[in-house]
Amino acid sequence: MSDQHDPAPYDALLLLSFGGPEGPDDVVPFLENVTRGRGIPKERLKEVGQHYFLFGGVSPINDQNRALLDALRTDFAAAGLKAPVHWGNRNWAPYLTDTLREMITDGHRHIAVLTTSAYASYSGCRQYRENLADALATLEAEGLPLPRVDKLRHYFNHPGFVEPMIEGVLASLAELDPAVRDGAHLAFTTHSIPDSAADTSGPVTEHGEGGAYVRQHLDVARLIAEAVRERTGNDHPWELVYQSRSGAAHIPWLEPDICDHLETLHGAGAPAVVMVPIGFVSDHMEVLYDLDTEATAKAAELGLPVRRSATVGADPRFAAAVRELLLERAAHERGTRVERCALGALGPSHDLCPIGCCPARAERPAAAGADSPYA
C-alpha cells in the first residue's frame, strides 16, 4: 500500500455521534440520557419530547448516520483503504462504550474518531472527548486492553464539507420565483449556545467574544456567500443567525434567533430568504423541526418566500473528505509531511486539542487531547 493510502498506525475509524430515539417509547429515556444529572422531571421531558412525537417519536439522525456509515465504507473500499468503520453514539444505541468494547474485542488498538460536529465548542468537541474518557474508564475497569483513540480535526472548512453546501444554496435559489430570486437573503444558521460557551470555544488564544465557534461559522458563511456570488453574479445579503436554544431565559445565548431574523428581514422588505444550516452535518431533528417546521411556518405567516438548503449528509464528497482527514492524520502520526486541505481565512484546525480548549463546565477527564489521561 502506498503512503498516500496508508491509514497506519490507525486500524479502524469510529463515527461518533449524538444519537436519537427510534420510536415513541424511546423519547423520554433518550431525553433522560441527554439531560442526566440536571434533575429535570419526567413530565417536563415529555413536554420537551413533543418535537419528536410530532414525527412518530423518531429522530432522523440514526438513519442519517447509517447512510453516512455506508458512504464511508463505500468510499474506503473504492480507494483500497482497509480500515473498518464503526459507529457509536453519546445518547442512544449503538452506545459508544458498547461499540468501543466490540472494537477492542475485534483487536483494534489505534482508533481514529470522527465526530458529527464540524466546529469547536464544548458540546461539539470536548464533551465527546469526555464521553470517550468515560467509555475508556469503563472498559479499563472491565480489564480490557485500552486502545489509543485520536479525534480527527475540525472539518468545517474542508472543501468536501463546504462544496456540497454551496451547491445546496444554488439549488434552493433556483427553486425561488425569478421575481424574488436575485434579492434573496441568505440566513446561515447554527445551533445557539450560551455566550459563555461561545466565548471560551477553541484554544485559549481564540477565546473572546464569540470565540472560535462564531469565528469558524462566519468564515464558512463568507466562503459560501462568495462562492454563490461568483457562480450567479448576484451578491446576496447574508447573516449568521441561530436556532434551537434550550437554556434558561436568564442566561445569554447567541442571537438573533432564526424566527426573529425572518421577522426583521420581512420588516426591512427582503423579497425572499434561503436558510442555510451550516452548523449541522445532516437533517436531524433541529433541522427538521426548528427550520422545516417552525421557521418555515413563521415565514408563511409573514408571507415571506423561504427555502431551506440541504445539509451535507452522506454526500460522497464528504465521505472522501473523511478519508482524506484520516490519511492526513495517519501521515502526521508517521512523521510524514502532508498537505492539509482547508478553505477560507482560518486554515486547518489543530490535530490535538490543547489544554484550555473549550473548557468543561465542571472538571472531568477528556480523552484525545493534550490533557488526556490516556496516552
Side-chain angles (χ1 to χ4, degrees), residues 194-196 245-253 255:
D195 286 3
S196 58
R245 175 183 172 139
S246 59
H250 70 281
I251 298 175
W253 283 51
E255 295 178 337

Side-chain angles (χ1 to χ4, degrees), residues 66-115:
R66 292 184 184 102
L68 178 55
L69 196 67
D70 287 344
L72 292 171
R73 289 169 173 165
T74 298
D75 178 88
F76 282 22
L81 197 66
K82 300 185 183 304
V85 187
H86 297 254
W87 166 40
N89 288 325
R90 171 189 292 170
N91 295 304
W92 202 249
Y95 288 104
L96 169 60
T97 302
D98 295 335
T99 299
L100 276 178
R101 184 185 295 110
E102 177 185 333
M103 295 176 79
I104 292 170
T105 301
D106 288 346
H108 298 302
R109 296 294 179 266
H110 204 148
I111 299 168
V113 179
L114 178 88
T115 63

Side-chain angles (χ1 to χ4, degrees), residues 138-161:
T138 297
L139 299 173
E140 185 176 38
E142 294 176 6
L144 293 174
L146 295 188
R148 173 172 168 176
V149 293
D150 291 331
K151 180 181 174 295
L152 299 180
R153 67 177 171 93
H154 301 301
Y155 47 84
F156 63 91
N157 56 2
H158 194 288
F161 184 68

Side-chain angles (χ1 to χ4, degrees), residues 119-120 198-203 206-217 346:
Y119 302 84
D199 293 347
T200 56
S201 57
E206 297 184 39
H207 291 180
E209 186 176 357
Y213 186 75
V214 172
R215 192 173 299 115
Q216 290 170 358
H217 281 88
L346 300 182

Side-chain angles (χ1 to χ4, degrees), residues 278-289:
I278 60 172
F280 305 90
V281 171
S282 63
D283 291 3
H284 51 71
M285 187 56 71
E286 280 83 354
V287 175
L288 196 64
Y289 180 81

Side-chain angles (χ1 to χ4, degrees), residues 34-314:
V34 174
T35 62
R36 181 168 286 114
R38 301 184 203 172
I40 300 177
K42 183 171 287 190
E43 290 306 311
R44 173 60 182 150
L45 294 179
K46 290 180 181 178
E47 294 175 17
V48 173
Q50 288 307 309
H51 295 178
Y52 292 97
F53 292 126
L54 285 173
F55 298 93
V58 178
S59 167
I61 192 170
N62 278 353
D63 275 346
Q64 289 160 6
N65 281 327
R66 292 184 184 102
L68 178 55
L69 196 67
D70 287 344
L72 292 171
R73 289 169 173 165
T74 298
D75 178 88
F76 282 22
L81 197 66
K82 300 185 183 304
V85 187
H86 297 254
W87 166 40
N89 288 325
R90 171 189 292 170
N91 295 304
W92 202 249
Y95 288 104
L96 169 60
T97 302
D98 295 335
T99 299
L100 276 178
R101 184 185 295 110
E102 177 185 333
M103 295 176 79
I104 292 170
T105 301
D106 288 346
H108 298 302
R109 296 294 179 266
H110 204 148
I111 299 168
V113 179
L114 178 88
T115 63
T116 53
S117 176
Y119 302 84
S121 71
Y122 171 76
S123 58
C125 183
R126 184 179 176 90
Q127 192 172 12
Y128 281 115
R129 293 176 49 225
E130 292 175 353
N131 300 146
L132 285 166
D134 290 343
L136 291 171
T138 297
L139 299 173
E140 185 176 38
E142 294 176 6
L144 293 174
L146 295 188
R148 173 172 168 176
V149 293
D150 291 331
K151 180 181 174 295
L152 299 180
R153 67 177 171 93
H154 301 301
Y155 47 84
F156 63 91
N157 56 2
H158 194 288
F161 184 68
V162 175
E163 182 61 33
M165 292 192 290
I166 294 170
E167 291 189 0
V169 174
L170 294 172
S172 291
L173 286 169
E175 293 174 0
L176 290 169
D177 189 301
V180 300
R181 183 183 302 150
D182 288 353
H185 286 236
L186 307 181
F188 294 98
T189 75
T190 191
H191 208 301
S192 184
I193 61 175
D195 286 3
S196 58
D199 293 347
T200 56
S201 57
V204 173
T205 54
E206 297 184 39
H207 291 180
E209 186 176 357
Y213 186 75
V214 172
R215 192 173 299 115
Q216 290 170 358
H217 281 88
L218 284 172
D219 202 45
V220 172
R222 191 175 296 110
L223 278 167
I224 295 173
E226 289 176 354
V228 169
R229 183 185 67 244
E230 290 171 1
R231 300 182 196 188
T232 65
N234 292 316
D235 193 2
H236 294 272
W238 65 270
E239 188 169 343
L240 177 64
V241 301
Y242 303 92
Q243 61 175 91
S244 313
R245 175 183 172 139
S246 59
H250 70 281
I251 298 175
W253 283 51
L254 293 173
E255 295 178 337
D257 176 78
I258 177 61
C259 289
D260 294 338
H261 184 60
L262 292 175
E263 288 189 343
T264 299
L265 290 179
H266 174 66
V273 180
V274 173
M275 300 182 292
V276 190
I278 60 172
F280 305 90
V281 171
S282 63
D283 291 3
H284 51 71
M285 187 56 71
E286 280 83 354
V287 175
L288 196 64
Y289 180 81
D290 296 333
L291 293 183
D292 292 355
T293 304
E294 191 173 47
T296 299
K298 170 58 70 174
E301 173 190 319
L302 297 168
L304 179 64
V306 68
R307 294 292 185 275
R308 194 270 292 174
S309 67
T311 54
V312 173

